[in-house]
Amino acid sequence: MSRRVRQNIPLWIMFLPIAAFYLIFKYTPMLGLVIAFKNYNFYEGIWGSPWVGLQNFQHLFTQAQSVQIIRNTLVLSVLTVFVSFPFPIILAILLNEARKMWFKRMVQTLVYLPHFFSWVIVGGIVVTLFSQSGVINAGVTKLFGESYAFLFHEWSWVSIFLGSGIWKEAGFSAIIYLAALTTIDPSLYEAASMDGANKWKQTWHITIPGISPTIILMLILAMGHVMEVGFDQVYVLQNSIVSNVSDVISTFIYQTGLQGGQFSLTTALGLFESLVGLVLVVMTNAIAKRFNRQLW
């Protein structure tokens, strides 16, 4: 055993529970992906069920409903990544510029708090606010004379979906960027200020380049989840009227796989989702590599 290994034995012991968690709950379940290529049934089990090859994938991509669900998932995911992604960065920069500590702490508490609420609570608040008899519609009725069904129109439902996600997670996500901001040398701001650079120029030429490695890292990680739309958020906000835009892979797996018992079909869809995420991560990292900002 080398000297370096002996010195790090306490760290290896601390790492063992994490390694065990990923082996048991992340990697071992991957063996179950084999049912995507089988006609799975409970009686014969995973290994005894008959092989069907790519039949589940062919069935999946020839159904109009499946294609629509994949499209909805892709659209909502891309919108979530590119619309929501800048907000934690902007929030972190604004909080970093706050000089009154009491104000900074108060704002941090308010913007972090929604992260700790479940989507059942957040969804209930959102549905209550935007319902026909909600606070928002009360103001709309006073201004325009009639209420508006925000949750029953596709474009407004998508806007509410994106907005609720930003409200819930932007504050907590900003913590990473606030930590990255502490690594920037304060003397750079002092030198820029002496050269006549205002706050906007300091932000553009010092702050953003200083945290750009963190931004690119988070973007690469976010691209891995492009085909993933959180089940909880969609499930508590969706309704049958906007199903053309709100039915996504996670809700389809729940309804068709768990409730309908079509485990092989939904496993094939989940495998497709994971492969698309892998390809996007590799592509994003390849693009970042051109600017020497790659993850690996």
Side-chain angles (χ1 to χ4, degrees):
M1 187 180 295
S2 67
R3 182 169 176 269
R4 182 181 292 273
V5 173
R6 288 197 303 270
Q7 287 178 336
N8 293 310
I9 285 178
L11 297 178
W12 284 108
I13 294 173
M14 293 174 63
F15 177 72
L16 282 176
I18 305 299
F21 171 81
Y22 276 91
L23 285 173
I24 296 171
F25 297 105
K26 298 294 183 180
Y27 289 100
T28 303
M30 288 183 184
L31 298 174
L33 291 174
V34 71
I35 69 174
F37 306 96
K38 291 190 169 193
N39 184 17
Y40 173 74
N41 60 80
F42 283 115
Y43 178 73
E44 295 177 296
I46 294 177
W47 306 113
S49 298
W51 289 93
V52 294
L54 298 176
Q55 182 179 321
N56 289 317
F57 293 92
Q58 293 172 352
H59 181 62
L60 189 65
F61 294 112
T62 53
Q63 282 188 334
Q65 183 187 10
S66 301
V67 174
Q68 180 184 350
I69 285 167
I70 293 171
R71 183 202 67 189
N72 291 345
T73 304
L74 185 61
V75 170
L76 290 178
S77 297
V78 170
L79 286 174
T80 300
V81 169
F82 290 102
V83 174
S84 305
F85 189 78
F87 280 88
I89 303 171
I90 296 170
L91 181 59
I93 293 173
L94 292 175
L95 286 173
N96 190 59
E97 292 296 327
R99 293 293 173 261
K100 299 291 185 180
M101 288 305 298
W102 65 267
F103 176 78
K104 184 176 181 179
R105 289 172 181 170
M106 181 184 69
V107 172
Q108 283 179 312
T109 301
L110 291 175
V111 298
Y112 293 169
L113 192 60
H115 170 79
F116 299 99
F117 294 152
S118 71
W119 268 113
V120 175
I121 297 173
V122 174
I125 294 172
V126 171
V127 170
T128 302
L129 287 174
F130 289 95
S131 66
Q132 293 289 91
S133 57
V135 176
I136 305 297
N137 261 317
V140 171
T141 304
K142 287 184 179 180
L143 290 174
F144 302 102
E146 60 180 358
S147 62
Y148 184 82
F150 289 98
L151 296 169
F152 300 99
H153 290 84
E154 293 180 357
W155 74 268
S156 57
W157 186 90
V158 172
S159 301
I160 292 170
F161 173 84
L162 295 173
S164 61
I166 293 170
W167 176 59
K168 187 176 186 299
E169 298 297 341
F172 196 77
S173 299
I175 293 175
I176 297 173
Y177 299 105
L178 282 169
L181 286 169
T182 60
T183 64
I184 300 175
D185 189 352
S187 64
L188 295 175
Y189 293 104
E190 296 174 3
S193 179
M194 292 178 64
D195 289 338
N198 55 28
K199 284 294 182 182
W200 168 250
K201 290 183 178 179
Q202 290 177 28
T203 301
W204 186 255
H205 295 288
I206 299 175
T207 305
I208 294 179
I211 62 174
S212 61
T214 304
I215 293 174
I216 294 171
L217 172 62
M218 297 304 296
L219 180 61
I220 292 173
L221 295 176
M223 292 303 292
H225 299 280
V226 158
M227 286 298 289
E228 296 180 16
V229 177
F231 170 79
D232 296 345
Q233 183 182 6
V234 175
Y235 192 74
V236 298
L237 294 178
Q238 73 174 176
N239 56 75
S240 58
I241 297 177
V242 293
S243 60
N244 287 336
V245 296
S246 65
D247 278 340
V248 294
I249 290 176
S250 58
T251 56
F252 178 77
I253 289 174
Y254 171 71
Q255 294 165 357
T256 306
L258 295 179
Q259 294 183 329
Q262 299 184 43
F263 301 106
S264 294
L265 183 65
T266 50
T267 301
L269 183 57
L271 179 57
F272 167 75
E273 177 186 16
S274 300
L275 289 175
V276 172
L278 175 63
V279 170
L280 289 173
V281 166
V282 173
M283 288 176 58
T284 308
N285 186 74
I287 295 172
K289 193 173 184 178
R290 293 177 178 269
F291 304 95
N292 291 323
R293 300 296 190 192
Q294 70 273 18
L295 185 58
W296 67 86

